[in-house]
Amino acid sequence: MSVMVHGKNVGQSLRRMLENDPAFRTVAYFSMEIGIHHQIPTYSGGLGVLAGDTLKSAADLGVPLVGITLLYKKGYFNQTFNSEGWQQESPVEWQPEQFLQLLPNEVSVMIEGRSLHIRAWVHDFIGQGGYPVPIYFLDTDFDANSPDDRAFTWHLYGGDQRYRLIQEIILGVGGLRILRDLGYDNIKTFHLNEGHAGFLTLELLREMGYENFQKVRDQVVFTTHTPVPAGHDHFPYELVDRVMDPIFSGRLRRMLGENGVSMTELGLRYSRFTNGVSVKHAEVSRRMFNTSKVDAITNGVHSLTWTSTGMRRLFDREIPGWSNDPSRLTQALKLSDEDIWKAHQAAKMKLLAKILEDTGRELDPDVLTIGFARRAATYKRADLLFSDMKKLLDACAGQVQFIFAGKAHPQDEGGKAVIQQIIRASKEIGAALPIVYLENYDMSVAGLLTEGVDLWLNNPKRPREASGTSGMKCTHNGVMNLSVLDGWWIEGWVEDVTGWSIGPEPAEADLIDYDEMEDAVDLYAKLREKVLPTYYQHRERWVSMMKSSIALNASYFNTHRMVKDYCEKAYGIVFRGL
Ligand SMILES: *Cc1c(COP(=O)(O)O)cnc(C)c1O
């Protein structure tokens, strides 16, 4: 990127200085979770990984942006299974000082009538061209606070409503105060990645004068991620009045009325731009919130992060420049069948080696391997595959092996029961249909799986998948998608070309009460009639589909394209390139 000062292209050292000057940053990206590396366990799933991928692409593209999140000392949790297959949770042990640098700055927010002190750690993510994007992690675990107050930044999505409300005050109000303290006084866009940081609108109002709602609106951009009402944070005033600074709680009543504090309402009403994360999700959100104000920017993944070593090497050789311009992956159509297959099998061997090491199970590299890994929430229906055991075995016995992974939220008994059911089924079925459930799904396991399986299965209940991103990781590795038509797949799906669908097409799927068994029946049929014959009898067609999936899908469903969309539609930044 070139930096122009008074019409002159400035030199390297001055450029570096300006890049590091907070006054040159114009976008602040707030997210309850950010996942940039599996060793920095400040994320739980899709939302955090998307945030991390966004910041990485911003750094690659030289977008003047900073990230803000919380430092979770005890992470989300470590997952193991007991002998009955029931999920056990333990805190994650990690040393922030290994990856982050503690800053001397300190600010405070008012909670329950006292001051809660907040400091920050920073990690500079360096883009492919050398451009840094600083990520600030807020922390209350130090001497200035009482032992109870120190624990507010320990757990991601832990604790009760009060704990959650206080974390959101730390993120929204504390986050903005830290930014100001660090010298960020030229931010033009505050991007709320989901409603959690919505309280920053209160702090902006305080800064600009309490009547200036429009000025606040002009600075805020809001991305909603959840297509179901129950997924949105809602705090009753009875709690808000007890916890928040009275100036703020009074203000919230004027902004939102008396029905409690909906963080989504706050984001929707006090932003200049709102978007959902796929075309379908934006449509569902407009209907749900009864507004026309929800635009669509479809999610992506960070291409370099989610491409296997072998594929990277192949792309580097045949498609130069792909990693900082993934739209060039359209050229994947010209790759040779042998090269693509070799790179794929290498990733598969790496995955199978990890499974052998972790579980003692020896899977076969020549057998079609299907992956299913995501949060074990019940709407994701990891157990749909097992709804008719006879049909499953008729279709797949001796020809398929399955790998599952995914954590259930510690308070989600339903999700834990689904995991247990799969582990039990795997024991009952035995050798005819090997099924492995890997422990502790995280970014590292996600990488191995989305690089190394042959086919990725996704069958959530419609229309509950806002976007989904794990399938996009697969498209970078020539791993085929077999998925319900929801979220991103409606946009990426070309039957028999980029993968296969399960169940009805989107228009029909809008029916709330469709018969879920239909999805299961269709899933077995697709496996039997399309997936297995293509893999075993028409390998050249399979490989050609791998290439189509990279060329048509990876070239689009990446965060480079997505960040450029945000620049254009939401940030008002003219993208000048590097
Ligand atoms: C990519 C990723 C996700 C998101 O997957 P979905 O398809 O959106 O469910 C969740 N968890 C981890 C660890 C990931 O890497």
Side-chain angles (χ1 to χ4, degrees):
M1 188 184 70
S2 60
V3 175
M4 306 289 282
V5 175
H6 303 305
K8 290 205 184 85
N9 203 337
V10 301
Q12 192 70 9
S13 57
L14 183 54
R15 178 189 140 185
R16 285 275 173 268
M17 200 186 82
L18 295 179
E19 280 174 355
N20 288 306
D21 185 340
F24 281 82
R25 300 274 164 167
T26 57
V27 182
Y29 183 90
F30 283 68
S31 186
M32 191 74 165
E33 43 171 318
I34 292 181
I36 46 171
H37 195 270
H38 71 95
Q39 286 178 305
I40 306 179
T42 55
Y43 67 95
S44 85
L47 183 74
V49 174
L50 174 80
D53 283 3
T54 302
L55 299 175
K56 290 176 185 178
S57 282
D60 287 345
L61 293 169
V63 178
L65 177 148
V66 296
I68 301 102
T69 189
L70 264 53
L71 179 93
Y72 303 101
K73 273 285 166 60
K74 304 195 186 278
Y76 184 45
F77 64 87
N78 263 325
Q79 176 199 49
T80 51
F81 302 122
N82 69 13
S83 54
E84 275 92 56
W86 195 253
Q87 172 177 297
Q88 313 286 301
E89 300 109 25
S90 57
V92 183
E93 305 292 338
W94 72 294
Q95 275 73 46
E97 60 275 14
Q98 279 194 308
F99 310 99
L100 316 173
Q101 185 197 339
L102 181 61
L103 297 169
N105 308 65
E106 190 187 311
V107 297
S108 64
V109 295
M110 176 88 89
I111 54 153
E112 298 172 338
R114 65 183 181 278
S115 284
L116 177 65
H117 301 273
I118 302 168
R119 62 181 188 178
W121 301 67
V122 68
H123 175 89
D124 280 320
F125 186 86
I126 309 294
Q128 294 178 47
Y131 184 81
V133 159
I135 308 170
Y136 298 100
F137 296 79
L138 306 173
D139 178 20
T140 63
D141 189 4
F142 61 107
D143 326 341
N145 292 314
S146 70
D148 284 349
D149 286 358
R150 293 178 69 147
F152 283 123
T153 52
W154 279 2
H155 299 283
L156 172 58
Y157 304 140
D160 53 11
Q161 276 242 305
R162 168 179 168 269
Y163 190 83
R164 179 73 163 251
L165 174 61
I166 291 170
Q167 286 191 327
E168 297 191 9
I169 296 170
I170 295 170
L171 179 63
V173 181
L176 181 47
R177 288 184 184 166
I178 278 277
L179 285 185
R180 297 303 192 210
D181 202 60
L182 287 161
Y184 291 94
D185 49 17
N186 194 28
I187 301 288
K188 302 282 192 279
T189 302
F190 293 92
H191 187 163
L192 310 177
N193 186 42
E194 193 46 285
H196 307 120
F199 294 136
L200 82 81
T201 55
L202 296 172
E203 179 65 0
L204 281 175
L205 267 182
R206 193 184 67 79
E207 288 183 351
M208 291 190 290
Y210 282 115
E211 302 312 315
N212 282 321
F213 292 123
Q214 192 53 42
K215 276 195 188 159
V216 170
R217 220 169 261 131
D218 287 344
Q219 296 193 35
V220 177
V221 159
F222 171 50
T223 302
T224 177
H225 290 263
T226 316
V228 279
H232 299 266
D233 271 334
H234 188 276
F235 301 109
Y237 278 116
E238 177 262 315
L239 175 68
V240 170
D241 288 340
R242 231 171 41 229
V243 171
M244 273 194 125
D245 191 331
I247 299 177
F248 284 161
S249 48
R251 204 49 48 179
L252 280 170
R253 282 192 166 79
R254 281 203 47 200
M255 293 164 80
L256 297 174
E258 291 292 333
N259 290 331
V261 177
S262 154
M263 299 305 281
T264 301
E265 279 291 316
L266 197 56
L268 270 173
R269 290 206 208 166
Y270 296 91
S271 58
R272 66 169 191 249
F273 174 90
T274 296
N275 72 290
V277 291
S278 69
V279 173
K280 174 72 171 180
H281 174 235
E283 182 191 312
V284 169
S285 301
R286 285 194 293 269
R287 211 177 314 141
M288 184 167 57
F289 305 128
N290 194 23
T291 170
S292 60
K293 191 197 160 182
V294 186
D295 210 319
I297 297 180
T298 302
N299 282 166
V301 297
H302 186 251
S303 300
L304 192 58
T305 299
W306 297 106
T307 301
S308 73
T309 318
M311 286 292 172
R312 278 189 196 187
R313 221 175 275 142
L314 178 57
F315 297 166
D316 282 344
R317 198 180 74 214
E318 303 290 336
I319 313 175
W322 70 279
S323 67
N324 213 12
D325 184 4
S327 67
R328 294 186 199 179
L329 288 171
T330 48
Q331 293 173 60
L333 290 179
K334 74 174 190 191
L335 299 173
S336 86
D337 287 11
E338 295 71 34
D339 284 345
I340 264 272
W341 190 252
K342 229 163 77 188
H344 170 66
Q345 285 301 101
K348 190 171 181 178
M349 292 307 292
K350 193 169 154 197
L351 169 65
L352 299 192
K354 150 92 177 165
I355 290 170
L356 180 62
E357 186 187 319
D358 282 12
T359 68
R361 301 280 298 274
E362 200 170 345
L363 298 185
D364 186 341
D366 295 321
V367 167
L368 176 74
T369 302
I370 301 182
F372 186 108
R374 43 190 54 86
R375 282 184 303 118
T378 42
Y379 82 86
K380 302 259 192 185
R381 294 193 300 183
D383 51 351
L384 187 75
L385 188 67
F386 305 102
S387 29
D388 187 330
M389 219 54 115
K390 183 174 177 309
K391 280 212 175 84
L392 172 64
L393 288 170
D394 283 352
C396 298
Q399 301 188 77
V400 181
Q401 46 202 13
F402 284 97
I403 307 171
F404 284 85
K407 295 173 178 176
H409 185 278
Q411 278 143 30
D412 179 9
E413 301 295 310
K416 290 185 195 179
V418 171
I419 297 176
Q420 187 180 36
Q421 195 194 332
I422 295 169
I423 293 176
R424 196 178 298 154
S426 77
K427 288 179 181 155
E428 283 165 12
I429 295 174
L433 193 63
I435 299 167
V436 174
Y437 203 113
L438 289 176
E439 284 178 340
N440 212 35
Y441 184 50
D442 66 358
M443 285 177 71
S444 141
V445 176
L448 284 166
L449 282 170
T450 56
E451 290 167 11
V453 299
D454 299 299
L455 180 80
W456 197 244
L457 176 63
N458 188 22
N459 47 238
K461 264 190 204 176
R462 276 170 297 253
R464 299 201 48 170
E465 188 85 302
S467 168
T469 52
S470 56
M472 301 177 184
K473 297 168 191 166
C474 292
T475 68
H476 283 74
N477 296 289
V479 169
M480 304 312 305
N481 276 281
L482 170 62
S483 171
V484 152
L485 286 165
D486 202 9
W488 81 279
W489 189 231
I490 296 173
E491 295 161 59
W493 166 65
V494 185
E495 185 77 359
D496 297 316
V497 176
T498 59
W500 299 276
S501 66
I502 302 167
E505 294 206 23
E508 305 165 52
D510 286 347
L511 302 167
I512 308 287
D513 296 311
Y514 69 99
D515 179 3
E516 285 186 36
M517 258 329 270
E518 270 183 43
D519 284 348
V521 169
D522 201 41
L523 166 57
Y524 301 134
K526 280 281 159 80
L527 286 170
R528 202 178 52 238
E529 291 160 19
K530 289 199 166 180
V531 175
L532 287 162
T534 312
Y535 186 82
Y536 286 110
Q537 287 141 45
H538 305 282
R539 182 62 56 82
E540 75 300 332
R541 203 191 302 157
W542 183 279
V543 176
S544 144
M545 286 180 72
M546 292 171 75
K547 289 192 257 184
S548 300
S549 159
I550 299 170
L552 293 173
N553 285 342
S555 64
Y556 181 79
F557 296 101
N558 58 75
T559 38
H560 274 54
R561 186 270 311 153
M562 187 199 79
V563 165
K564 288 179 189 174
D565 282 353
Y566 276 103
C567 283
E568 183 188 325
K569 288 185 163 186
Y571 302 160
I573 290 179
V574 180
F575 184 76
R576 267 172 290 130
L578 290 164

